[in-house]
Amino acid sequence: MKRILVTGGTGFIGSHTCNALLKNGHEVYILDSLSNSSKKSLDHLKLIFSKKKIDISNKLFFFKGDLRDKEFIDSVFEKVKIKGNSIDGVIHFAGLKAVEESVNYPLKYWENNVIGSFNLFKSMIENNCKTIVFSSSATVYGNTKDELLKESADINPINTYGSTKFTVENLLRNIYEAKSHEWNIAILRYFNPIGAHDSGLIGENPLEKPNNIFPLIINAAYEQKNLKVFGNNWPTDDGTCIRDYIHIMDLADGHLKALNHLMTNNSQLINLNIGTGQGHSVLNLINTFEIVNNVKVPFIFSDRRKGDVCKLVADNLRAKKILNWYPNRSIEEMCRDGWRWKLMNPKGYS
Ligand code: NAD
Ligand code: WQD
């Protein structure tokens, strides 16, 4: 059993990862401002376990506050210490992630994602906690012509959000280089996480209007209102863009494997792509969603979205080899589980 601090733990990826951590017997300390999530996700998380007659009340702790406030982060470490314990490792999800918003409000993104991370790392150093898994993004690669993206591909973020992610990667790299025998760091570059826990109890719950394709497909199906598909003249078989969609539960499992790897091996810093290695076009995703859920997804074609790339698919061999991690949930399961979450929680957690 380890004590893990999870920043952003009530968010989409965070809540599913907390579920995986708790399932594996770890103690979870969530730090979240609730700026894009709901505290009710914790009740839903508890329900998953109580349905299996497992009591997690003394394993799951929540601290509401913001990473931009270093004293608040210090106070969380302090509260754990007062109980005679210490945090063994951190999974750092907290951050803002809307690409377009990041371009319009750069200071907001640099403050949240970079200064927030800076405060966290400083507090970790002061509390002698030197194991961390960081949420980065395939977005750091920018435009690419590679069939499958390797971790060694050129890094060239084309938007503010991507720049903040790469800056935090660099900060971690510098921290590691200064004390390379002390730190254990995994930088995970996610591709396109979708779906939900198969209980339908936790899922994606954006507080603002979503920008990503999957919650928009769900809403189009639920409200029977047109989704806009951005471009039908891309150089792909059906003319729509290709992405590497990964089931949120496989992604959560990747975090658990990364943490276990860091805790059982010598000091290191690793960058890993977390994707399935399989590409699906937008039309392919829509068609699969319609078939497995027996529901129509109305859509119209519109112009290409500014800044979109044609194809982004992970070479995930390094993650498979190093972590012994294998994403095994299909695109059909992603669509089925995402729709179940919507039908069981039409208004999310509210
Ligand atoms: P999310 O918005 O659902 O979760 C992020 C959580 O962080 C939210 O609960 C929010 O309230 C919290 N938060 C934000 N700023 C904070 C701050 N300053 N202090 C404390 N809490 C704060 O997003 P998600 O999809 O779960 O993404 C988690 C992480 O993964 C993010 O860092 C995101 O950039 C990264 N990521 C996401 C995707 C994706 O497609 N979802 C892809 C690649 C990388
Ligand atoms: C997927 C496909 C769109 C909306 C973004 C971030 C990336 C990462 C994941 C955080 C594209 C098409 C979309 C719509 C559409 N997030 N689409 N109509 O662009 O691959 O990546 O989210 O790190 O950083 O950049 O994901 O879900 O926005 O788009 O046709 O209304 O769906 O053109 O081909 P993307 P997405």
Side-chain angles (χ1 to χ4, degrees), residues 1-6 17-30 45 49 54-61 86-89 91 252-253 255-261 263-264:
M1 188 280 290
K2 300 285 181 197
R3 292 185 185 86
I4 309 300
L5 176 66
V6 183
T17 303
C18 288
N19 171 70
L21 290 165
L22 290 161
K23 205 172 150 193
N24 282 272
H26 299 297
E27 256 177 37
V28 172
Y29 297 78
I30 295 178
L45 198 52
F49 288 91
I54 301 170
D55 179 15
I56 54 161
S57 53
N58 59 352
K59 293 212 163 256
L60 177 62
F61 305 93
S86 59
I87 296 290
D88 298 304
I91 306 185
D253 185 41
H255 287 81
L256 196 71
K257 291 264 166 64
L259 197 67
N260 288 343
H261 175 79
M263 292 193 162
T264 50

Side-chain angles (χ1 to χ4, degrees), residues 156-168:
N156 183 23
I158 55 169
N159 54 59
T160 308
Y161 166 68
S163 300
T164 65
K165 284 285 168 194
F166 189 50
T167 298
V168 178

